[in-house]
């Protein structure tokens, strides 16, 4: 069962336009599957970064060596490129010396791939992010009724492709994913001095979804210094396990200006970390599940539809709060997330008046207009 990805057409439109195309995202989200689907009718050379021979061949080759490796192929696909040392320099040489060659590159950890390619490939690349299956992709595949029936299950088990296509084994697959695959690159590079601390840190963050995170409190809880906590959180962000939401602050003196909230790219991973797969009806954290689901889906939506918007949360020292704030073209949008459509919500007047903000409550019955395609957007 193959689920059509929204990024497919964008990638196809960028082929043979004179730039390297880089696809990055978490492990197991279907990057290789997507590229192979796009290239199924193309004549291309496949280079696997997991293959030691390929890594050796692409480790600082000169132009003549590259000419021999690439041959007369019109297109080359380098998979798991983050495993190849100095891949950015090699891609720069290929781009500059082989003008008619299209290069596609995939990688699972942005802290390696993006970092190594940013400077060498400045002005030479298109970058595409691929996340777990979006609700928009899932509903287009499954149909409205089936998707609607699955919503509560998706809040618990998430949206990874293998989870959606292997429902009978989703618990076991999620536990395996959260315990090994997601951190493979971090561990293999020796970037973590205390591997057990990563899991304990993620568990602590999983319990704090929707709340502001204190690095000092995490440091005391985990018995590691604050700098290590911050460093590990940055690595987990770059490996696409979590992402931070900063505070929105422009005018008011009592606004919180430096705090962060941390969310998971996938609800299933979050629940696997705390080993809680209970159904929604039996949980006391439905607010956190709903908020994490909606914000992660909005991140996918904005990326896949190339909407250049900044995202935040808003709070004052007097505990006035708006769950999610989006800004673009001088506009400010404020959102509150409630699972129950009947729950009453009042937006702080200081927020609405100070920023002339449009506001909206996103709940169980209207969430599609927040996470679906642009034609359905009302906000």
């Amino acid at each position: 069962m193959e689920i059509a990805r929204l990024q497919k057409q964008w990638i196809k439109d960028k082929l043979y336009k004179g730039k390297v195309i880089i696809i990055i995202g978490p492990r197991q989200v279907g990057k290789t599957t997507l590229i192979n689907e796009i290239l199924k009718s193309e004549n291309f050379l496949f280079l696997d970064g997991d293959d030691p021979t390929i890594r050796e061949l692409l480790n600082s080759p000169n132009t003549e060596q590259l000419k021999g490796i690439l041959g007369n192929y019109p297109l080359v696909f380098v998979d798991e490129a983050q495993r190849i040392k100095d891949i950015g320099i090699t891609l720069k040489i290929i781009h500059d010396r082989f003008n008619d060659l299209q290069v596609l590159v995939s990688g699972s950890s942005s802290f390696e791939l993006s970092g190594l390619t940013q400077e060498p490939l400045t002005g030479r690349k298109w970058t595409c992010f691929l996340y777990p299956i979006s609700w928009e992709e899932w509903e287009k595949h499954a149909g409205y009724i089936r998707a609607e029936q699955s919503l509560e299950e998706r809040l618990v088990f998430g949206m990874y492709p293998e989870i959606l296509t292997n429902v009978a084994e989703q618990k076991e697959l999620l536990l395996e994913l959260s315990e090994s695959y997601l951190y493979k690159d971090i561990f293999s590079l020796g970037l973590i001095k205390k591997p057990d601390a990563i899991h304990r840190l993620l568990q602590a963050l999983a319990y704090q979804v929707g709340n502001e995170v204190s690095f000092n409190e995490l440091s005391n809880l985990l018995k590691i210094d604050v700098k290590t906590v911050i460093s590990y959180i940055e690595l987990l962000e770059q490996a696409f396990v979590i992402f931070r939401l900063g505070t929105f602050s422009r005018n008011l003196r009592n606004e919180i200006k430096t705090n962060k909230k941390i969310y998971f790219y996938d609800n299933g991973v979050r629940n696997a970390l705390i080993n809680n797969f209970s159904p929604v009806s039996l949980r006391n954290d439905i607010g956190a599940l709903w908020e994490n689901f909606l914000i992660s889906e909005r991140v996918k939506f904005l990326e896949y539809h190339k909407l250049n918007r900044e995202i935040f949360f808003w709070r004052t020292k007097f505990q006035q709060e708006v769950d999610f704030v989006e800004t673009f073209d001088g506009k400010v949008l404020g959102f509150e997330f409630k699972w129950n459509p009947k729950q009453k919500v009042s937006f702080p007047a200081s927020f609405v008046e100070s920023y002339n903000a449009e506001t909206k409550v996103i709940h169980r019955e209207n969430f599609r207009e927040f996470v679906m395609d642009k034609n359905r957007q009302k906000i």
Side-chain angles (χ1 to χ4, degrees), residues 55-123:
R55 291 202 298 270
E56 183 65 27
L57 286 172
L58 294 181
N59 182 10
S60 303
N62 59 42
T63 303
E64 285 303 311
Q65 290 172 322
L66 282 172
K67 188 174 182 180
I69 295 169
L70 301 173
N72 295 318
Y73 286 96
L75 187 149
V76 58
F77 169 30
V78 185
D79 198 17
E80 299 294 347
Q82 78 279 352
R83 301 290 308 279
I84 301 167
K85 185 179 178 182
D86 296 326
I87 184 62
I89 299 297
T90 300
L91 292 173
K92 178 181 181 296
I93 295 171
I94 293 174
H95 176 276
D96 292 350
R97 302 296 175 86
F98 302 88
N99 298 329
D100 296 328
L101 178 65
Q102 174 64 64
V103 182
L104 274 82
V105 181
S106 80
S108 58
S109 44
S110 65
F111 60 90
E112 285 186 277
L113 190 55
S114 290
L116 287 174
T117 59
Q118 181 132 12
E119 186 174 341
L121 290 182
T122 298

Side-chain angles (χ1 to χ4, degrees), residues 72-181:
N72 295 318
Y73 286 96
L75 187 149
V76 58
F77 169 30
V78 185
D79 198 17
E80 299 294 347
Q82 78 279 352
R83 301 290 308 279
I84 301 167
K85 185 179 178 182
D86 296 326
I87 184 62
I89 299 297
T90 300
L91 292 173
K92 178 181 181 296
I93 295 171
I94 293 174
H95 176 276
D96 292 350
R97 302 296 175 86
F98 302 88
N99 298 329
D100 296 328
L101 178 65
Q102 174 64 64
V103 182
L104 274 82
V105 181
S106 80
S108 58
S109 44
S110 65
F111 60 90
E112 285 186 277
L113 190 55
S114 290
L116 287 174
T117 59
Q118 181 132 12
E119 186 174 341
L121 290 182
T122 298
R124 298 176 174 88
K125 64 180 173 68
W126 300 105
T127 301
C128 167
F129 293 93
L130 194 69
Y131 301 114
I133 301 296
S134 71
W135 182 265
E136 182 175 351
E137 291 168 330
W138 173 235
E139 186 167 302
K140 287 180 177 179
H141 171 82
Y144 182 96
I145 294 175
R146 183 180 167 202
E148 173 70 17
Q149 291 170 336
S150 75
L151 176 60
E152 292 190 8
E153 189 172 32
R154 301 284 51 88
L155 290 179
V156 175
F157 291 98
M159 305 289 284
Y160 268 83
E162 192 175 22
I163 305 304
L164 290 168
T165 55
N166 294 275
V167 174
E169 301 173 299
Q170 56 190 355
K171 181 177 178 180
E172 291 76 14
L173 290 169
L174 268 174
L175 290 171
E176 176 67 17
L177 178 69
S178 65
E179 290 172 4
S180 59
Y181 284 115

Side-chain angles (χ1 to χ4, degrees), residues 95-315:
H95 176 276
D96 292 350
R97 302 296 175 86
F98 302 88
N99 298 329
D100 296 328
L101 178 65
Q102 174 64 64
V103 182
L104 274 82
V105 181
S106 80
S108 58
S109 44
S110 65
F111 60 90
E112 285 186 277
L113 190 55
S114 290
L116 287 174
T117 59
Q118 181 132 12
E119 186 174 341
L121 290 182
T122 298
R124 298 176 174 88
K125 64 180 173 68
W126 300 105
T127 301
C128 167
F129 293 93
L130 194 69
Y131 301 114
I133 301 296
S134 71
W135 182 265
E136 182 175 351
E137 291 168 330
W138 173 235
E139 186 167 302
K140 287 180 177 179
H141 171 82
Y144 182 96
I145 294 175
R146 183 180 167 202
E148 173 70 17
Q149 291 170 336
S150 75
L151 176 60
E152 292 190 8
E153 189 172 32
R154 301 284 51 88
L155 290 179
V156 175
F157 291 98
M159 305 289 284
Y160 268 83
E162 192 175 22
I163 305 304
L164 290 168
T165 55
N166 294 275
V167 174
E169 301 173 299
Q170 56 190 355
K171 181 177 178 180
E172 291 76 14
L173 290 169
L174 268 174
L175 290 171
E176 176 67 17
L177 178 69
S178 65
E179 290 172 4
S180 59
Y181 284 115
L182 290 181
Y183 327 126
K184 183 176 180 180
D185 296 315
I186 299 175
F187 290 153
S188 66
L189 289 170
L191 296 172
I192 302 297
K193 296 179 181 178
K194 299 179 180 179
D196 65 307
I198 278 284
H199 193 73
R200 291 188 292 118
L201 172 60
L202 281 167
Q203 283 183 319
L205 294 174
Y207 283 115
Q208 294 185 37
V209 164
N211 298 314
E212 292 169 59
V213 171
S214 166
F215 296 148
N216 286 323
E217 288 181 8
L218 289 171
S219 171
N220 292 331
L221 176 67
L222 302 173
K223 302 296 187 280
I224 56 178
D225 64 77
V226 173
K227 288 184 178 179
T228 300
V229 169
I230 295 172
S231 173
Y232 285 5
I233 286 175
E234 289 175 349
L235 287 172
L236 290 165
E237 280 188 289
Q238 293 166 335
F240 296 103
V241 181
I242 59 175
F243 61 94
R244 279 185 273 190
L245 208 61
T247 53
F248 178 74
S249 175
R250 291 183 183 174
N251 295 326
L252 306 182
R253 292 180 61 186
N254 63 359
E255 288 175 328
I256 300 296
K257 295 178 172 61
T258 60
N259 291 13
K260 305 289 183 183
K261 289 187 178 183
I262 293 180
Y263 297 91
F264 287 78
Y265 279 106
D266 186 74
N267 272 32
V269 169
R270 182 263 182 184
N271 290 327
L273 287 163
I274 59 176
N275 198 22
N276 185 353
F277 296 105
S278 299
V280 165
S281 60
L282 300 179
R283 302 181 73 117
N284 61 9
D285 62 349
I286 180 58
L289 290 180
W290 187 234
E291 186 171 329
N292 194 91
F293 169 78
L294 288 175
I295 293 178
S296 62
E297 285 299 319
R298 188 66 169 185
V299 167
K300 298 173 193 175
F301 170 81
L302 295 176
E303 170 63 28
Y304 291 171
H305 293 288
K306 308 305 173 189
L307 298 178
N308 184 24
R309 301 185 178 185
E310 293 186 279
I311 58 176
F312 311 89
F313 73 97
W314 181 85
R315 191 171 76 81

